Amino acid sequence: MSSALSSGTGSSVYRHPGFLPFLIARLGAVCALQIQAVVVAWQVYDMTRDPLSLAYAGLAQFVPMLLLLLPAGDLIDRYDRKRILAASWVVAALCSGLLLWLSLSGARNTLAIYAVLALFGCARAFIGPALQSLLPQIVPRERLAAAIAANSMIMRGATIAGPLLGGGLYALGGGALSYTLCLAGFALALGLLPWVPVRFAEPPKTLEATAWQRFTAGIDFIRSRPIILGTMSLDLFAVLLGGVVALLPIYAQEVLQVGPEGLGALRSAMAIGEVLVGLYLSVRPFDRHVGMTMFAAVALFGLANLVFALSSLFWLSFLALLVAGAADMVSMYIRSSLIQFSTPDAMRGRVNAVNMLFIGSSNELGEFRAGSSAAWFGTVPAAVLGAVCTLTVVSGWMCGFKSLRRVDRFEDASPGGAPESETAAPREGAAAV
């Protein structure tokens, strides 16, 4: 692991004007999103008692988001990102208000809920890329890595606290209380957004003439830059092939025999590791040997999952997941920083939209892969196979993306410097051969 070096000098990134309001706003919005997801799932299943209804609820959100991600990235690169984010949060708040109205009216119409979720999926297509693209315009470049670490930690903390809070609120006051808090979360985010100054936006540039050219420009840009392509695809295949979260209920019940309490602890283990490392990186970010450190972190993620797969001891399984979460946070920190440093400001919306597409695909398809593999081969063999596949992916990507492996500092991946090293790599290889 590379040594921890401060990214820049001076005060903490938390003291930078506008950054703390941005973090609090995002925390409020993400908590609202997580609470709403838990409560909607509970309500839909309570109405139908049909597991397939949960799949429809997820599909109602995922399909509109999938269809709108590339157009959203294009609009984010062409117009004011704060205004797009504000409009997206307004639509999300409207969805919470509609769900609140449905709860208060006592309606038991799942089609109406699916329609609201489809609208919410449209808003989510803009929220994610807008947030990721806005962050580099808020903090200076030398603070960006620390800001990304703090942002990742806040996101992960919200994904832990949100579902717990949502379940408790629903038990106390049902959908009415839960959706009211969701409205409050989005209102908090919207109220803080004017306090987030945009000081580091680059001057607007002339974009491609046609909509199709603008949509595909982000994909073409990613394909032309091995650092970005290698970073995104490494995350995609490592999570797709090696994730074990979907198997935790089976491990808790059949392998470790710890019951629902143990399952809760196992699910929190990775999150605890991520939050602890994220907190450390937000205070002491490192900026040396980042390429090799990322590969080492993903390899450690695979090894920790392999230990978990073979373990029959609860404490060892918990520790393995804790290490996997810590390694994943290091990898996430480097991946996010490399993508932000490698992408010019005028292209960030489209690149972050494609990145969101990769992340969403890896999570959704990864759970399907884990469940189907367990059904075919058995739970433990499926988990072992996934961990081995992750290690294989790391080895393959280290050989296939040499420019990514050689990145030392985040600044080396900037648009002004990375293309030379990327084009130089094949010439050196050809000369050696």
Side-chain angles (χ1 to χ4, degrees), residues 9 29 41 86 106 118 166 180 190 198 249 256 266 292 364 371 385 388 403 427:
T9 58
T180 299
L190 287 165
V198 174
L256 303 175
L266 291 175
M292 282 302 300
E364 299 290 337
L385 178 62
V388 172
S403 57
R427 289 198 296 269

Side-chain angles (χ1 to χ4, degrees), residues 114-166:
Y114 295 152
V116 175
L117 292 179
L119 180 61
F120 187 63
C122 295
R124 288 183 61 189
F126 290 85
I127 291 172
L131 280 167
Q132 296 295 332
S133 304
L134 182 61
L135 182 59
Q137 296 183 343
I138 297 172
V139 297
R141 195 173 182 85
E142 63 271 14
R143 299 283 185 200
L144 185 55
I148 289 172
N151 187 64
S152 299
M153 177 194 64
I154 288 293
M155 280 285 293
R156 192 53 184 157
T159 57
I160 299 169
L164 294 174
L165 187 57

Side-chain angles (χ1 to χ4, degrees), residues 127-386:
I127 291 172
L131 280 167
Q132 296 295 332
S133 304
L134 182 61
L135 182 59
Q137 296 183 343
I138 297 172
V139 297
R141 195 173 182 85
E142 63 271 14
R143 299 283 185 200
L144 185 55
I148 289 172
N151 187 64
S152 299
M153 177 194 64
I154 288 293
M155 280 285 293
R156 192 53 184 157
T159 57
I160 299 169
L164 294 174
L165 187 57
L169 288 170
Y170 191 82
L172 288 174
L177 177 60
S178 304
Y179 294 132
T180 299
L181 191 65
C182 292
L183 269 173
F186 288 121
L188 173 66
L190 287 165
L192 288 173
L193 202 54
W195 298 91
V196 180
V198 174
R199 299 183 177 182
F200 303 97
E202 295 180 4
K205 298 180 181 179
T206 303
L207 299 180
E208 293 76 7
T210 67
W212 179 252
Q213 287 176 323
R214 293 196 303 270
F215 293 167
T216 57
I219 299 174
D220 292 339
F221 178 81
I222 292 170
R223 291 174 56 191
S224 69
R225 299 196 52 94
I227 289 178
I228 301 180
L229 178 61
T231 299
M232 288 186 181
S233 56
L234 176 65
D235 175 55
L236 171 65
F237 287 103
V239 175
L240 175 64
L241 298 175
V244 297
V245 173
L247 301 178
L248 292 184
I250 306 176
Y251 263 87
Q253 186 172 5
E254 299 182 6
V255 178
L256 303 175
Q257 299 179 349
V258 291
E261 296 83 0
L263 174 60
L266 291 175
R267 287 191 67 90
S268 68
M270 288 188 69
I272 292 171
E274 289 172 345
V275 170
L276 290 177
V277 172
L279 179 60
Y280 175 81
L281 290 175
S282 70
V283 178
R284 295 184 59 83
F286 62 84
D287 190 21
R288 292 300 306 273
H289 313 302
V290 295
M292 282 302 300
T293 302
M294 182 181 67
F295 282 117
V298 179
L300 181 59
F301 174 79
L303 287 172
N305 283 339
L306 181 60
V307 172
F308 171 81
L310 296 172
S311 170
S312 59
L313 301 173
F314 175 76
W315 67 267
L316 180 60
S317 300
F318 183 90
L319 182 61
L321 291 176
L322 186 76
V323 172
D328 187 49
M329 177 55 74
V330 173
S331 173
M332 185 191 311
Y333 160 74
I334 297 175
R335 291 194 315 265
S336 301
S337 299
L338 284 176
I339 291 171
Q340 296 285 28
F341 275 86
S342 299
T343 308
D345 192 60
M347 189 70 68
R348 281 199 174 104
R350 286 166 285 179
V351 170
N352 283 317
V354 175
N355 188 39
M356 271 198 66
L357 186 61
F358 274 48
I359 293 173
S361 300
S362 65
N363 290 334
E364 299 290 337
L365 295 178
E367 292 188 3
F368 175 78
R369 189 277 316 163
S372 58
S373 297
W376 293 337
F377 311 121
T379 304
V380 174
V384 171
L385 178 62

